[in-house]
Amino acid sequence: MSRTLKLTLAYDGTAYVGWQRQAEGVSIQGLLEEALARFDGTPVAVHGAGRTDAGVHALGQVASARVATVHDPAVIRRALNAMLPGDVRVLSVEEAPENFHARYSAAGKRYEYRIWQGPVQPPFVRTWSWHLPHQLDIEAMGRAARALEGTHDFSAFQSAGGGVVSAVRTVTRARVERRVLPPGVTGGGADADGGEAGGYLVSVQLEANGFLRHMVRAVVGTLVEIGGGRRSGASVPQLLESHDRGASGPTAPAHGLVLVRVDYPAAAR
Amino acid sequence: MSRTLKLTLAYDGTAYVGWQRQAEGVSIQGLLEEALARFDGTPVAVHGAGRTDAGVHALGQVASARVATVHDPAVIRRALNAMLPGDVRVLSVEEAPENFHARYSAAGKRYEYRIWQGPVQPPFVRTWSWHLPHQLDIEAMGRAARALEGTHDFSAFQSAGGGVVSAVRTVTRARVERRVLPPGVTGGGADADGGEAGGYLVSVQLEANGFLRHMVRAVVGTLVEIGGGRRSGASVPQLLESHDRGASGPTAPAHGLVLVRVDYPAAAR
């Protein structure tokens, strides 16, 4: 008599040890399992599509769970949001095929990494963007990012400990864009002393059929070296061929990263 | 040998007791005075244009201070930002006429109040918007807001304890607008179950030559009653004439309010 649910979640990861349950600290998975168990009256296991690290955010994380409740999805969503803290929100609850699994059924994911480029980082973007005061060559970063598109062995952008058999992934989209935010988010009089205090958001977007451990953050660390002129954009193909994590850039900080959405084949939905 | 500086500030007020120094807790004024005193090597008094309450934010608060330092404004700004926490930022530092006073020289201020209208409030707007799940008639709120424009006695929208001689103020602009945020702020898959989990921001904007204690929040509490059909929009002129705080709506919560900017006559700048 059990059903499978697909839950779409948004969270501000600042206060959490990440998606996955840990020995210490509060995880998103743990919060969700406790809330669902309270609603269902029995322990519930929740599987997430992406195991976001400590401090990483989500706008469209997907989780699956088998539950006994016969309540409507909209009722379950309201009940969960009433139990969860305000920085973790269930955006939607849907019925899913019995064998739907948020992680194994996923066909692809989209991550975005946000950089605040400018001398002063506005207070309201500080929790979800990496502050880089120096100028970046966004065109050069965009060209370098495109070289990642396609099917490659991404060992050069993988941290140890991921526990995967193969580092081959297919990146379907890699873009670097300047993004304009409404002044209500960034602050009004920001350019009072000749525009120097102004700035803008640089958005790095990666879509792939799967991601390795710290892959987006290693890509961003490398692209930032390219954007700052400390590394040639033309070096990306050799980097990929090197299979050497030591050859690529540093891992960018977690708080700039957000899991934007997870895609499933039509049959799994 | 002292100079007068004009500082433009943005802050996330969540963690603070408000602009003004209090017996207990951390204030923005206190943080700024301590940072300036460390830089100047002598105690510095800082005056703010608006005494924002606990939890109220700023995108363009203005403060004035007399300092002894001979450093460039840009150097002072960098030094202050290096000492202040990330949720309080100095956007600009400018030289000002000797008698410039952030509060007494101000000709007007603009406040914005943000309401998140929708069943689920996205995590990244939760610290700076009031969550109202029920539908609001924005047109009716806008018409009622316009009735506040002009010179009136605003006693019906003033909390006790403001200590002012007269409650007469001139509201030069009052607007209620629906605002669209980029999906990167609100979340992507928000309308996966038929749009029910979607929502939008309602922005209430007030510009006046001066504001009374809790004035914007009392106006918003009243407008929300009008938007929800619990009060007639046509009642605003009578409300103003009543001079009775008990006749208007409740005080909206502090965390939806932001001081957007402060205007000065050309001679003071």
Side-chain angles (χ1 to χ4, degrees), chain A residues 10-12 57 59 74 77-78 81 86-87 89-94 114 119-121 123-124 126 128 179 181-188 190 192-193 196-197, chain B residues 10-12 57 59 74 77-78 81 86-87 89-94 114 119-121 123-124 126 128 179 181-188 190 192-193 196-197:
Chain A
Y11 47 82
D12 177 339
H57 314 294
L59 291 169
R77 191 195 66 203
R78 274 196 294 275
N81 281 328
D87 51 4
R89 295 287 85 186
V90 179
L91 301 177
S92 70
V93 176
E94 297 164 273
R114 289 96 168 252
V120 181
Q121 185 180 37
F124 292 98
R126 81 187 185 289
W128 48 268
R179 285 247 243 104
L181 283 176
V185 175
T186 56
D193 56 348
E196 211 209 321
Chain B
Y11 47 82
D12 177 340
H57 314 294
L59 291 169
R77 191 194 65 201
R78 274 197 293 275
N81 281 328
D87 50 5
R89 294 288 86 187
V90 179
L91 301 178
S92 69
V93 175
E94 297 164 273
R114 290 95 168 254
V120 181
Q121 186 181 36
F124 292 99
R126 80 188 184 288
W128 48 268
R179 286 247 243 105
L181 285 175
V185 175
T186 56
D193 55 349
E196 213 209 321

Side-chain angles (χ1 to χ4, degrees), chain B residues 75-238:
Chain B
V75 171
I76 301 172
R77 191 194 65 201
R78 274 197 293 275
L80 292 176
N81 281 328
M83 288 185 272
L84 292 165
D87 50 5
V88 177
R89 294 288 86 187
V90 179
L91 301 178
S92 69
V93 175
E94 297 164 273
E95 302 277 353
E98 200 190 323
N99 62 351
F100 175 78
H101 186 289
R103 186 157 154 239
Y104 301 130
S105 307
K109 292 190 202 87
R110 180 181 189 152
Y111 278 95
E112 184 180 20
Y113 195 97
R114 290 95 168 254
I115 297 164
W116 179 263
Q117 210 284 291
V120 181
Q121 186 181 36
F124 292 99
V125 308
R126 80 188 184 288
T127 53
W128 48 268
S129 65
W130 184 21
H131 182 208
L132 289 179
H134 59 266
Q135 284 283 344
L136 293 170
D137 182 341
I138 295 173
E139 303 270 311
M141 291 169 72
R143 281 192 302 273
R146 295 254 186 158
L148 297 168
E149 291 182 349
T151 303
H152 307 284
D153 183 312
F154 284 94
S155 296
F157 298 98
Q158 172 181 223
S159 293
V164 291
V165 176
S166 161
V168 174
R169 296 291 183 275
T170 300
V171 170
T172 46
R173 191 168 180 275
R175 293 286 185 282
V176 181
E177 288 168 3
R178 182 171 163 157
R179 286 247 243 105
V180 177
L181 285 175
V185 175
T186 56
D191 47 9
D193 55 349
E196 213 209 321
Y200 51 86
L201 214 60
V202 178
S203 158
V204 179
Q205 296 150 35
L206 280 187
E207 273 176 40
N209 64 346
F211 288 87
L212 304 167
R213 185 151 193 254
H214 296 174
M215 178 170 151
V216 184
R217 291 161 60 191
V219 164
V220 170
T222 306
L223 291 177
V224 161
E225 289 189 339
I226 291 166
R230 282 168 290 146
R231 179 192 288 270
S232 159
S235 67
V236 170
Q238 292 134 262

Side-chain angles (χ1 to χ4, degrees), chain A:
Chain A
M1 289 297 289
S2 79
R3 300 144 77 194
T4 302
L5 297 179
K6 177 189 177 192
L7 302 99
T8 305
L9 308 161
Y11 47 82
D12 177 339
T14 308
Y16 300 103
V17 297
W19 166 261
Q20 210 160 13
R21 268 186 188 281
Q22 307 284 334
E24 302 278 328
V26 182
S27 67
I28 318 289
Q29 182 186 35
L31 282 176
L32 207 59
E33 288 183 341
E34 282 154 34
L36 268 169
R38 269 174 68 189
F39 187 76
D40 223 26
T42 178
V44 175
V46 172
H47 304 284
R51 286 168 296 182
T52 54
D53 287 318
V56 174
H57 314 294
L59 291 169
Q61 166 79 290
V62 173
S64 55
R66 289 179 65 84
V67 294
T69 174
V70 294
H71 281 290
D72 268 358
V75 172
I76 301 171
R77 191 195 66 203
R78 274 196 294 275
L80 292 176
N81 281 328
M83 289 185 273
L84 292 165
D87 51 4
V88 179
R89 295 287 85 186
V90 179
L91 301 177
S92 70
V93 176
E94 297 164 273
E95 302 277 354
E98 200 190 324
N99 62 349
F100 174 79
H101 187 289
R103 185 156 157 240
Y104 301 130
S105 306
K109 292 190 202 85
R110 179 180 189 153
Y111 278 95
E112 184 180 19
Y113 195 97
R114 289 96 168 252
I115 296 164
W116 179 264
Q117 209 283 292
V120 181
Q121 185 180 37
F124 292 98
V125 308
R126 81 187 185 289
T127 53
W128 48 268
S129 65
W130 184 22
H131 182 208
L132 290 179
H134 59 265
Q135 284 282 344
L136 293 170
D137 182 342
I138 295 174
E139 302 270 311
M141 290 169 73
R143 281 192 302 272
R146 295 251 187 164
L148 297 167
E149 290 182 351
T151 303
H152 307 284
D153 183 312
F154 284 93
S155 296
F157 299 97
Q158 171 182 226
S159 291
V164 292
V165 177
S166 161
V168 174
R169 297 290 183 275
T170 301
V171 170
T172 46
R173 190 166 181 275
R175 293 286 184 285
V176 181
E177 288 168 3
R178 181 172 164 156
R179 285 247 243 104
V180 177
L181 283 176
V185 175
T186 56
D191 46 10
D193 56 348
E196 211 209 321
Y200 51 87
L201 214 61
V202 178
S203 158
V204 179
Q205 295 149 35
L206 280 187
E207 273 175 40
N209 65 347
F211 288 87
L212 304 167
R213 184 151 193 256
H214 296 174
M215 177 170 152
V216 183
R217 292 161 59 190
V219 164
V220 169
T222 307
L223 291 177
V224 161
E225 290 189 339
I226 291 166
R230 283 168 289 147
R231 179 190 288 270
S232 158
S235 67
V236 170
Q238 292 134 262
L239 255 183
L240 283 167
E241 278 162 42
S242 77
H243 300 182
D244 175 11
R245 178 66 187 88
S248 55
T251 304
H255 72 282
L257 185 60
V258 58
L259 172 54
V260 175
R261 69 162 198 250
V262 186
D263 294 316
Y264 295 92
R269 277 178 289 190

